[in-house]
Amino acid sequence: MPARLLAGLFLAAAGGAHAMPLASVSAACQALGERLGSVDVQTCLQSDLQITQAASVNGQPLLYRDYLPRSRRVAPRRVLLLGGIHGDEFSAVSVVFQWMKRLQGERFQPFHWRVIPCANPDGLLGDPATRMNAHGVDLNRNFPTPDWKADAMQYWEQRTHRDPRRYPGPAALSEPETRWLLQQINDFHPDAIVSVHAPYGVLDYDGPDEPPTRFGYLHLHQLGTYPGSLGNYAGVNLGLPVITLELPHAGIMPTPAQSQRVWGDMLSWLQANLPKEPPIYLRLTEKSWESD
Ligand SMILES: [Zn+2]
């Protein structure tokens, strides 16, 4: 099917809500490869990202890829891995592409991963790249936390002094990217969420139970939650473990050894701390719940 026709179908399916035509995966990979020093076009294409019916404000496709454990498991625990919810944190996107390569060849990891390497493509591809999306909204302040209505705007005005980089948007879920991420959480039912950022050089955690103390060179330092943040929404309100990895530099990649240690420690922590697979008598119940 010609790409233009395909794009037209996606636009129709999405209710024609996008002002710009929806780019194809190959066009998106071309743009990502040109923007990121550590991800080439070929690597992006080979990662076999799946297109959805959703698009960013500027019509960039919101892409994801699922990785299943190779060993047979009835109900593997699920982990949602997000890169680049802030568009000017280049390393946060590049490192997720690196980890996708690992997942591709990983024989023994036990989880079902859903990976979204670039959650804010308009911010990343902007000229210059911006933390916010194309509407100038900080997507990590746009999630529907119960305190959003009462606190988000007040927090922005009084605590950030109307910092444009932290604008939470006119309403919770005002942005197509945030709505799509929420839909991913609702459809995929993750047991944990990992969101990669930069440049604070720490490990942050929201959610139940004891936080991890360090993953590789990233040590625990809890930064607190904000009205509309993912950690607040999924960690505090939904009670899911939300791991926030803050790489130390937005424009410089961790060394391969550093990124490998972070990945390895995180995998060990998830294995030790996520609930085990449900016993066999519960699996049918869980399956029927999943199909709701
Ligand atoms: Zn960030």
Side-chain angles (χ1 to χ4, degrees), residues 189-248:
H189 291 303
D191 296 291
I193 298 177
V194 179
S195 184
V196 190
H197 289 255
Y200 294 107
V202 297
L203 163 64
D204 191 6
Y205 177 85
D206 298 290
D209 309 324
E210 281 294 294
T213 52
R214 62 177 279 197
F215 292 160
Y217 69 154
L218 303 178
H219 292 257
L220 181 70
H221 179 83
Q222 286 176 285
L223 301 165
T225 55
Y226 311 93
S229 72
L230 177 65
N232 190 351
Y233 176 71
V236 178
N237 300 124
L238 301 183
L240 292 173
V242 177
I243 293 162
T244 301
L245 302 175
E246 280 278 356
L247 302 174

Side-chain angles (χ1 to χ4, degrees), residues 128-140:
T130 58
R131 172 183 169 99
M132 307 79 74
N133 77 346
H135 285 152
V137 174
D138 180 346
L139 301 176
N140 203 31

Side-chain angles (χ1 to χ4, degrees), residues 4-292:
R4 191 173 295 175
L5 184 53
L6 203 61
L9 281 179
F10 282 123
L11 276 177
H18 311 291
M20 310 267 289
L22 187 61
S24 64
V25 176
S26 55
C29 279
Q30 190 71 40
L32 286 172
E34 281 168 15
R35 177 49 55 102
L36 296 168
S38 306
V39 178
D40 56 48
V41 177
Q42 214 49 32
T43 302
C44 179
L45 289 171
Q46 282 165 357
S47 61
D48 198 20
L49 287 159
Q50 304 297 301
I51 202 159
T52 62
Q53 292 176 356
S56 68
V57 172
N58 284 345
Q60 285 293 332
L62 297 171
L63 303 168
Y64 77 98
R65 165 81 197 271
D66 277 8
Y67 296 88
L68 289 160
R70 291 203 188 169
S71 63
R72 273 200 230 153
R73 285 168 186 272
V74 176
R77 300 291 87 185
R78 293 173 292 268
V79 185
L80 180 63
L81 170 60
L82 309 175
I85 196 167
H86 290 145
D88 58 356
E89 298 168 3
F90 294 177
S91 59
V93 178
S94 300
V95 89
V96 171
F97 272 102
Q98 260 187 9
W99 290 340
M100 287 170 80
K101 247 184 191 171
R102 286 189 72 97
L103 281 169
Q104 188 83 46
E106 185 69 75
R107 295 184 65 82
F108 300 112
Q109 71 83 20
F111 302 116
H112 177 180
W113 293 81
R114 176 158 296 177
V115 185
I116 296 167
C118 182
N120 177 8
D122 293 346
L124 179 77
L125 300 174
D127 186 19
T130 58
R131 172 183 169 99
M132 307 79 74
N133 77 346
H135 285 152
V137 174
D138 180 346
L139 301 176
N140 203 31
R141 301 291 182 273
N142 194 238
F143 284 90
T145 52
D147 58 358
W148 202 97
K149 241 185 169 151
D151 297 339
M153 205 51 74
Q154 195 183 10
Y155 188 95
W156 179 63
E157 287 172 356
Q158 292 175 9
R159 298 287 292 277
T160 79
H161 306 289
R162 294 175 165 258
D163 180 353
R165 288 169 50 79
R166 285 168 176 78
Y167 177 55
L173 294 179
S174 56
E175 303 311 301
E177 298 90 348
T178 329
R179 288 197 295 274
W180 182 71
L181 288 171
L182 186 76
Q183 188 192 330
Q184 295 302 308
I185 294 171
N186 290 339
D187 292 350
F188 182 59
H189 291 303
D191 296 291
I193 298 177
V194 179
S195 184
V196 190
H197 289 255
Y200 294 107
V202 297
L203 163 64
D204 191 6
Y205 177 85
D206 298 290
D209 309 324
E210 281 294 294
T213 52
R214 62 177 279 197
F215 292 160
Y217 69 154
L218 303 178
H219 292 257
L220 181 70
H221 179 83
Q222 286 176 285
L223 301 165
T225 55
Y226 311 93
S229 72
L230 177 65
N232 190 351
Y233 176 71
V236 178
N237 300 124
L238 301 183
L240 292 173
V242 177
I243 293 162
T244 301
L245 302 175
E246 280 278 356
L247 302 174
H249 306 284
I252 305 170
M253 281 291 279
T255 65
Q258 285 167 336
S259 116
Q260 193 172 326
R261 283 293 300 277
V262 172
W263 177 255
D265 287 354
M266 181 166 76
L267 219 57
S268 305
W269 187 87
L270 289 168
Q271 276 179 273
N273 287 276
L274 289 196
K276 301 297 167 220
E277 288 178 40
I280 196 147
Y281 63 88
L282 282 178
R283 286 176 188 163
L284 273 177
T285 319
E286 184 179 55
K287 264 206 158 352
S288 58
W289 175 71
E290 279 173 359
S291 64
D292 282 349

